Amino acid sequence: MTGSACHPIQQAAFEAQLALAARLGKPVIIHDREAHADVMSTLRAWIHADATRQSPLAARRFWGVLHSFSGDLAPGQEALTWPFLLSFAGPVTFKNARALHALVTQLPLDRLLFETDAPVSDATPWRGQRNEPARVTLVAEAVSRLLGRPLADVAAQTTATACEFFAWSSP
């Protein structure tokens, strides 16, 4: 979703997709751009709806992920009160991304995922160039530094979380 007040058709489509995901028991992957308030409001209502809480999705530990998260501490912390994960991409590697850096240090490692959001959102030092999935390591390294934790520990935990979310076998 984009914009501070999303278009009614876009809002209806978003709500219909959320309802379908709940009915089918499939987690959602949400990428909002400049629409944090609208997205969070819609997700808040969906998460607390009886239809969602009684759906096959309710049996899962995680109902969704906020993909390429770019919000600040308040929506990030609220999302963690829900059965959601936060995923970070290249912008967390930027020196001037102080809000993202502060947010990451406040989040439990077992609720984080990393991504490249290729072909955009590239990490430093490749900023401005076409992004590649192989550069997800740069995101993991940046978060490892922010958390003051060994990269191997961060990679092991986020890999385990991704395997659980996507219902993959562990590597």
Side-chain angles (χ1 to χ4, degrees), residues 7 41 52 58 60 93 121 139 143 151 158 168:
H7 192 280
S41 175
T52 307
R60 295 180 63 107
T93 69
S121 294
V139 175
V143 171
L151 178 59
T158 56
W168 297 332

Side-chain angles (χ1 to χ4, degrees), residues 6 23 54 94 110 147:
C6 68
R23 196 167 50 252
Q54 296 169 8
F94 301 167
D110 69 341
L147 297 177

Side-chain angles (χ1 to χ4, degrees), residues 65-82:
V65 62
L66 294 176
H67 153 72
S68 195
F69 189 75
S70 62
D72 58 22
L73 190 57
Q77 288 180 324
E78 181 177 12
L80 293 182
T81 68
W82 307 336

